[in-house]
Amino acid sequence: MTFEELGLSQKVLQAVQTSGYTTPTPIQAQAIPPALQGRDILGIAQTGTGKTAAFTLPMLSRLESGRARARMPRTLILEPTRELAAQVEESFAKYGKNHRLNVALLIGGVAFGDQEAKIMRGADVLIATPGRLLDFFDRGKLLLTGIEILVIDEADRMLDMGFIPDIERVCKLVPFTRQTLFFSATMPPEITRLTEAFLHNPIRCEVSRAATTAITIRQILIASRGHADKRETLRNLIRSAENFKNAIIFCNRKRDVAILHRSLVKHGFSAGALHGDMDQLARMASLDAFKNGDVSLIVCSDVAARGLDIPDVSHVFNFDVPTHSEDYVHRIGRTGRAGRSGVAMTLVTEGDMKYIDQIQSLIGKAIDWEGPGFDALPPPMETIRPQERRGGERPDRGQRRDRGRRPAVEREAPIRRPEASEREAPIRRPAAAEREAPVSIGRPRGGRPKPEAERFRSPACAAPAAERRERQPRRYEDEGPPVVGLGDHVPSFLLRPVALKPAKVGEE
Ligand code: AMP
């Protein structure tokens, strides 16, 4: 099938041609013709399938007639995150370059003024995150009664982020007669209920199960201990990765994104961060730096990175195993796109094994392990209890070992140590002056870096507070008998005899 056969307008076809696309993707081939006829669409497709163009192209064709009125946008696209909203805006700029349409972006973290001015001028296309949209609506700055087409994108992510009540509210505020284009990578029951309530006789277009992972992605599991060990393992993996160009590193929590980012920078890696607590400008700057290749690593939370279209990502690292197995599919789908090959490595602690089981059953295959198993890993000092150090075995130790569930031979397989030259290759090597820098906070610039162990002990240590706390020895690491009272160190003035007055009659 060709784009000409889909029924798109000449202006849109020209823009598609300029983009270099020759053949519609399956979701485009299925969704565009009925969308042009004004039918509701239920598109089950994940990012990377070309779904943005699947709704953008027919919208552009349909918007060629008519014009917007002040405060009354004609079409509304809801996106779960600011980055996705900005990405859709870019698509409109690309595919709509032959149109004179007003496109407005309503996202949090940006001043109200400019956004209001655009809406006042009359927006043909309004791209918004639910919170900021309803904020505008509640302030009386926006009317939704002129909406002809409503797009709800990444609905399952909206569900994860608690936006479903907002979506329901928006669906009730827009005219009943609008066309709805609804996209979700998965169809959990809450999403099915939403589609039943708000879509009118939709055409269902399904391109691939969310559980499928591209065959172009090589998936690997790597056993690791706690967070501090994971950081070191990650550094080694990045240094030794073959065909490394760049990597997205996922953490489960925003706090850990910040910690890992600082740690990587401190170790001389060129890394950015992306999480929900960063302001919008910082988020966009980070993302741009990664897209342009100014940094080769970006540490992300799921929410911030969901659906981002960054072509040509060579590696994905799951610093934390995702607790929702579908997130695993989305995360690793950031690599191996457009037929390229990619590598997805997941750092696994013993406590993560239940999530690994869930992921493997979702994707329908076992993921290969690489490197030493849990048994062969050197135990981190802070987790060794005194009785273990003296050779004592805890009763459940054998059982805990079994949780690795890996054959002995596999457990022994060592990580391939890279050649010296390889180790240097994947990361952008900092210039000589920069190489001195990573540990510069709290000590003069340009000085010789202290050995790592010494640095961690230094009071002027550059490590963030949370990281320092993690390195604090645990209580049970203190050896020797417990100290009672002042122990042997009773000050001499307390040992002097004290003359007591005799008590008076009647006193107790
Ligand atoms: P999406 O799923 O919308 O995030 O799109 C994923 C990527 O596919 C984007 O980089 C698009 O530019 C690209 N793309 C969209 N449609 C086509 C097409 N028909 N042929 C080739 N690439 C496409």
Side-chain angles (χ1 to χ4, degrees):
M1 182 175 270
T2 62
F3 276 104
E4 284 73 19
E5 293 169 65
L6 298 179
L8 293 163
S9 74
Q10 273 312 311
K11 283 185 187 174
V12 174
L13 285 175
Q14 274 168 16
V16 167
Q17 214 174 11
T18 317
S19 306
Y21 306 156
T22 48
T23 324
T25 64
I27 188 75
Q28 291 162 3
Q30 286 181 51
I32 291 175
L36 285 169
Q37 290 163 12
R39 294 288 305 267
D40 279 6
I41 302 289
L42 169 55
I44 303 165
Q46 41 194 131
T47 46
T49 54
K51 73 176 164 62
T52 314
F55 62 79
T56 311
L57 302 182
M59 280 176 79
L60 284 166
S61 284
R62 296 200 67 203
L63 281 168
E64 282 172 20
S65 54
R67 56 191 294 272
R69 283 183 284 161
R71 285 176 200 242
M72 288 183 71
R74 296 174 65 194
T75 61
L76 171 63
I77 301 170
L78 288 175
E79 293 289 339
T81 65
R82 303 160 185 184
E83 282 76 14
L84 279 174
Q87 205 166 277
V88 171
E89 189 193 28
E90 282 170 23
S91 293
F92 269 95
K94 180 160 105 180
Y95 306 128
K97 67 191 194 59
N98 302 321
H99 297 70
R100 287 167 57 88
L101 294 176
N102 286 335
V103 179
L105 190 61
L106 272 194
I107 53 174
V110 178
F112 272 74
D114 293 349
Q115 298 182 340
E116 194 183 346
K118 277 203 166 176
I119 290 181
M120 272 308 291
R121 242 183 285 146
D124 295 288
V125 181
L126 177 60
I127 307 161
T129 47
R132 182 55 71 100
L133 177 87
L134 288 171
D135 205 352
F136 256 76
F137 180 82
D138 291 335
R139 290 173 189 223
K141 296 181 185 300
L142 178 69
L143 291 168
L144 294 174
T145 43
I147 298 290
E148 298 159 30
I149 304 173
L150 169 67
V151 179
I152 299 168
D153 194 18
E154 300 272 344
D156 51 353
R157 177 53 48 160
M158 302 264 200
L159 173 73
D160 292 347
M161 294 173 71
F163 285 149
I164 295 304
D166 289 348
I167 302 297
E168 286 179 330
R169 191 172 161 217
V170 173
C171 286
K172 288 176 190 161
L173 290 171
V174 297
F176 182 76
T177 51
R178 91 274 163 174
Q179 177 185 20
T180 308
L181 311 175
F182 189 103
F183 290 86
S184 187
T186 56
M187 289 299 288
E190 297 90 332
I191 297 296
T192 306
R193 187 184 59 75
L194 202 64
T195 59
E196 284 165 358
F198 296 109
L199 295 186
H200 306 302
N201 192 19
I203 301 283
R204 188 183 169 103
C205 311
E206 186 164 359
V207 291
S208 68
R209 285 191 309 125
T212 53
T213 49
I215 48 165
T216 48
I217 306 169
R218 191 169 151 242
Q219 301 173 55
I220 298 163
L221 301 177
I222 288 136
S224 188
R225 299 252 179 236
H227 262 216
D229 294 78
K230 285 206 278 184
R231 283 194 289 274
E232 194 186 340
T233 309
L234 177 71
R235 290 194 294 273
N236 290 336
L237 289 171
I238 296 169
R239 290 187 183 115
S240 62
E242 283 168 21
N243 301 323
F244 183 95
K245 177 173 179 280
N246 54 8
I248 303 183
I249 304 164
F250 286 96
C251 296
N252 288 354
R253 292 177 303 175
K254 290 182 259 188
R255 194 183 68 110
D256 294 330
V257 169
I259 293 172
L260 180 60
H261 171 235
R262 282 195 296 263
S263 162
L264 285 167
V265 171
K266 200 155 63 73
H267 281 88
F269 291 88
S270 73
L274 195 65
H275 63 77
D277 283 350
M278 291 163 65
D279 71 47
Q280 190 54 23
L281 278 180
R283 281 162 71 157
M284 296 312 259
S286 265
L287 197 55
D288 284 347
F290 185 69
K291 281 182 175 174
N292 302 337
D294 296 339
V295 296
S296 55
L297 304 172
I298 189 160
V299 191
C300 297
S301 61
D302 284 291
V303 167
R306 171 69 182 259
L308 292 180
D309 178 32
I310 306 169
D312 211 5
V313 173
S314 71
H315 285 69
V316 165
F317 293 101
N318 288 315
F319 184 75
D320 296 313
V321 176
T323 50
H324 297 290
S325 12
E326 277 162 6
D327 281 339
Y328 176 82
V329 179
H330 292 298
R331 287 181 181 187
I332 73 164
R334 307 297 96 218
T335 184
R337 286 160 90 87
R340 293 190 182 94
S341 61
V343 180
M345 296 188 172
T346 303
L347 303 185
V348 186
T349 62
E350 288 193 80
D352 293 326
M353 282 311 297
K354 63 175 181 291
Y355 302 121
I356 293 296
D357 290 346
Q358 287 164 11
I359 289 167
Q360 295 188 135
S361 68
L362 176 75
I363 63 172
K365 64 175 183 181
I367 308 171
D368 292 336
W369 289 85
E370 232 176 55
F374 294 118
D375 277 0
L377 294 171
M381 282 308 287
E382 74 262 31
T383 59
I384 307 175
R385 290 170 186 273
Q387 82 261 29
E388 288 178 53
R389 274 200 238 147
R390 286 192 293 269
E393 282 281 307
R394 290 169 60 208
D396 62 343
R397 209 180 151 128
Q399 283 169 356
R400 288 190 303 127
R401 277 182 179 174
D402 287 341
R403 291 177 61 194
R405 289 170 223 176
R406 302 177 51 199
V409 59
E410 205 186 324
R411 283 200 295 266
E412 299 311 324
I415 282 189
R416 187 186 68 79
R417 298 303 304 164
E419 299 301 318
S421 58
E422 269 182 287
R423 278 202 296 274
E424 303 301 321
I427 52 164
R428 181 186 72 81
R429 295 301 300 162
E434 282 175 271
R435 274 203 294 278
E436 302 294 315
V439 292
S440 65
I441 308 168
R443 67 180 183 79
R445 238 178 185 281
R448 193 177 56 82
K450 292 178 184 176
E452 193 160 53
E454 197 186 329
R455 246 192 299 141
F456 288 164
R457 255 180 273 125
S458 158
C461 171
E467 222 177 313
R468 277 202 303 274
R469 269 199 303 279
E470 221 179 300
R471 286 190 213 109
Q472 299 273 325
R474 296 203 184 155
R475 265 169 177 270
Y476 49 69
E477 266 190 273
D478 295 335
E479 292 204 61
V483 177
V484 179
L486 296 170
D488 297 335
H489 305 286
V490 183
S492 53
F493 74 90
L494 284 179
L495 299 172
R496 278 208 311 263
V498 180
L500 292 172
K501 281 186 190 168
K504 287 183 189 152
V505 179
E507 274 183 8
E508 297 256 339

